[in-house]
Amino acid sequence: MAVSQIQAQSSHHPIPISRQGFHDNIDKEQAAAAKFDGKADDLVKVSDDQTTNLQVTNALIKEVDDMQQEIEDNDSLDHRLKVKYLSAIYVTLKDYNQKRSRRNIDPEEAPAMIAAFRNMMRADIKGQSILPYISNLSFEASEKIIESFQDNPGYKEARGQVFTKYAFNNLETVMPKLGDYLNYPGTDSIVAAVARKYPNQVLTYATSYTPMANAVKRNQDPIVQQIVRIGQSPQSTKILPFIDELLAGTTTVEKLEAVVDNDYQYFKQMVKSNIALQKLKADGQNPFGLKAMMENMQAKSLLYIRTVNDLHEESAPVRFAIVKNFTPEELYYLIINGQEELYTSSYTNHSNAGLYDQMMLRMKPPRGDSLLMVVNFDRFKKFIAMAAGFNTLDHFLKSMAPENSNYLMQKYVQNLEKTEDLEDAVDVANSFGSIRDEKLLEFLRVEVKKNLNYVKKHSDKRGTVIYQLLSSLFETESKSENDSSKATDMAAKLQLPPINYVTYNTLESDSGRVYQQVFFYGDKDGQESFASFMTNFPSSDWKVSKNKYWATITSVKGKATTIYANLPTDEPADKEAISKLSEYLDENDIHPTIFIHRGHSYHINTTLENLQSSAKIVVLGSCGGYHNLATVLEKSPEAHIISSKQVGTRFVNEPIIHSLEDQVRSGKNVDWVIMWAQLTKKFAGDARNKDLFSDYVPPHKNLGAIFIKAYKQIMKDEKK
């Protein structure tokens, strides 16, 4: 920080003006690191542990200052080399700050980073290899550091080692980066590993006109070779999910080509093959094509669902014509793949024409347990959670014998500790708030307690946390109090900060201004949403300015608020606009506390990639599925999330955002209970949008998000 200038000036090596700018850049990044928690003090706060904070502060401030001085005092270094090392320090600090703001690095790694950098710099000055100093760093910490030492004798090997560390821990994202490592000895084994988990990625490169295509084709791994053969078909992406059947010799590429040309026949074949793959999985095998199958099925399912949703004002025969020949199991797969976009009236309606209604009517006999057996219980917990959310669970359970419905609900809450992620547990948590059958609720309460006792008895820490949380959620949710006291009790019981309001001062930056970022996309829907959104800012209350990439909307009345909204330029330029805006925010040390996603579910990943850890309120509008909630809370642990059980609509999004802006400009705490009561009253007389609004979930009722927050907090405390 500024101290580096004082030290340098009191030294017998004053800093020449030609290098002062490089020191200033370093000082700026040090100041940004210290100010990250909103306080412009001399402490870099990265955790609740004061010793850790002091170690990180010492590394980023004092040790960096010492390095700056060391560089200036070294008479063996000419101006060019001093600039090289000063620039390298700046790049390292800037990379750390940017990754920290998006939670892409463990901020506690700073001391190890700075120590490694210092050792690399000293080795480089002596002409020695930097290789020995990277082994203890994560990929995130080391990737930028080594790039400052490209002329070092150990650079090539160090780069390969850093990349391998990344590759096997990030098989899902490694393929685009492999092009720079084609002659590295580990490349073939990395491609083979990706082929087993993400065969569609290997297919993409096998069919490309890039140097990577040759690397894939030369690979002798049998799975990779099968993917290469699939890639020779013009229908390769549709055929890839059937790789297990091709390897087993039970079908051929030619036979599949005849099926995949017809949309319905293709979907039908995917359902049939997926059921077979689920059986293999249940028998302990690991089918290679299952992930690609599920992705292709979901994409195809969403096309059918969007067609049904878009026709919501048409008569039932017109609206549901596209699924008139679907079997019960095909409708089941449409439903579980459509969780994030299914309209309530597309799922069930008074005409008994919804996907769920037709699924039940077409069953012979109409028994839910028989259907689940046909699909090998594939994602049945997801289906049960959706049935609870759409108020058809009681109907579904009554379609089977009581002993079978009891057994099914026992299975629903069992083995939640054995899953890779928390998705099933979050689905169970979400369903608690939707089930109205007191007998069923009591039954589930008892079953959760039984499972809690079981995991405790077997000393299963993760399981104990999961079932303890579910038990607490269940008990609090069952009390017949008002929403505010219920939320207060729940937060206290789960040892969480308030879940029913966000205090105004946590939304303010250190300058006293509230910053917000809104994401728009360049499709027709996004452009209409943006045009409508911009009508909410009359010149009497707001000042609006635009550049090539975004609009800046600043309050002229009430508390200081600035909203940045990227322009919905035609795709793919919309992604560039978002990227340019994010770069601007980074460079100007602006960390918004309110983030709003305005777009279809297929755009959500871009929004989430640009989310900052500073977020306190995140409005998803749609796309409230588990993986999105988990990503938001991974990046922004303190976020309060508004989401919808179905596709968002601007006729609901804008009143919510308008209400939020009014509260922010008034300088009051954002109280979800009060805000939702006012919005409920507003939509009561709006026949067109009342049902759509009822599918929006406010933060104090978002049991899935509350569960994830509480789980993460407990596991963090356990780690300590």
Side-chain angles (χ1 to χ4, degrees), residues 115-130:
F117 180 92
R118 188 170 213 155
N119 287 329
M120 286 187 210
M121 179 180 79
R122 287 172 175 173
D124 192 61
I125 290 170
K126 293 175 186 170
Q128 296 169 354
S129 171
I130 61 171

Side-chain angles (χ1 to χ4, degrees), residues 239-270:
I239 290 171
L240 180 70
F242 305 97
I243 186 171
D244 297 275
E245 292 166 63
L246 290 165
L247 286 165
T250 55
T251 190
T252 64
V253 168
E254 291 71 30
K255 281 182 186 172
L256 290 168
E257 280 177 336
V259 171
V260 302
D261 267 343
N262 179 296
D263 270 358
Y264 176 53
Q265 291 304 321
Y266 178 46
F267 187 74
K268 199 177 189 66
Q269 185 61 50
M270 280 199 291

Side-chain angles (χ1 to χ4, degrees), residues 38 503-515 559-560 591 593 616 667:
T503 57
Y504 178 77
N505 63 353
T506 62
L507 296 175
E508 288 180 299
S509 65
D510 56 345
S511 66
R513 181 171 292 278
V514 176
Y515 289 106
K559 292 287 188 178
H591 304 289
T593 50
K616 299 295 185 291

Side-chain angles (χ1 to χ4, degrees), residues 516 530 533-534 544-553 562-567 581:
Q516 307 179 38
F530 181 81
F533 174 76
M534 293 305 292
V544 177
S545 62
K546 289 181 186 176
N547 63 22
K548 184 181 173 184
Y549 298 108
W550 68 84
T552 304
I553 306 160
T562 299
I563 303 167
Y564 296 99
N566 66 280
L567 304 185
L581 173 53

Side-chain angles (χ1 to χ4, degrees), residues 244 276-288 290:
D244 297 275
L277 293 181
Q278 291 297 339
K279 187 168 188 325
L280 289 177
K281 189 180 173 190
D283 292 341
Q285 295 185 49
N286 187 23
F288 302 121
L290 187 57

